Amino acid sequence: AFPKIMADHQLPTGTVARLIKTNLSGGVTKVGSEVPGIATDCMKDFIQLVAAEAQEESERCKSKTILPVHFIKALKTLGYDDIATEVQTLAKAEDAAKKAKPKRKKKRLEDSSHSMEELKRRQAELFARARAKHG
């Protein structure tokens, strides 16, 4: 149904192992050495599945970009409503953080310690040198 990920795209096995170990409870204290690899394969398949569904959703919306809304809709379509709700909450928080972050405006001229006349004079000198050098 969806294309296989190329072999050189790997999730970090050490990170996967740590995630598994930090979520252990009860009497289980160890993880077999093959479990992180199996979990990594499962995660890759899950990501491919959701990405393929999100792509279909973006195409239905005539969008060339997969947006968070497409990803969330894909999770719901695949029956992962709980995960979709969490992702939606995270997406809203990230969007709010982006809006709260002040945008940097390029103010080279305003931030310059030189007057506009000085800058124009320097520019004219540079143009004159370039014309003299390149004919």
Side-chain angles (χ1 to χ4, degrees), residues 7-26:
D8 61 341
H9 287 83
Q10 290 291 324
L11 295 171
T13 307
T15 301
V16 173
R18 277 191 301 281
L19 283 170
I20 294 169
K21 287 177 185 177
T22 58
N23 288 295
L24 293 177
S25 62

Side-chain angles (χ1 to χ4, degrees), residues 19 21-23 54 61 68 83 90-91 96 103 110-111 121-122 128:
L19 283 170
K21 287 177 185 177
T22 58
N23 288 295
C61 295
I83 296 173
L90 290 170
K103 293 183 180 179
E110 293 153 9
D111 291 344
R121 185 186 64 72
R122 286 185 176 189

Side-chain angles (χ1 to χ4, degrees), residues 40-134:
T40 298
D41 289 341
C42 291
M43 285 185 265
K44 285 193 290 188
D45 288 346
F46 177 75
I47 291 167
Q48 285 181 297
L49 178 66
V50 176
E53 187 63 36
Q55 180 179 355
E56 288 179 21
E57 180 62 27
S58 70
E59 288 170 356
R60 280 192 287 275
C61 295
K62 300 194 184 335
S63 174
K64 292 185 177 186
T65 304
I66 296 175
L67 301 171
V69 68
H70 302 138
F71 196 81
I72 292 164
K73 175 76 169 140
L75 287 167
K76 289 179 181 179
T77 299
L78 295 168
Y80 297 104
D81 294 335
D82 292 347
I83 296 173
T85 302
E86 287 185 46
V87 170
Q88 194 165 20
T89 302
L90 290 170
K92 285 180 182 177
E94 188 175 323
D95 194 39
K98 281 183 183 177
K99 287 180 181 177
K101 187 177 177 181
K103 293 183 180 179
R104 289 180 31 177
K105 294 181 180 177
K106 294 182 179 178
K107 300 180 183 178
R108 288 184 182 175
L109 292 177
E110 293 153 9
D111 291 344
S112 174
S113 61
H114 304 289
S115 68
M116 188 57 76
E117 293 78 25
E118 174 68 15
L119 292 171
K120 286 181 181 179
R121 185 186 64 72
R122 286 185 176 189
Q123 183 182 37
E125 286 176 8
L126 289 171
F127 282 138
R129 273 194 250 157
R131 276 192 297 273
K133 183 176 181 180
H134 299 289

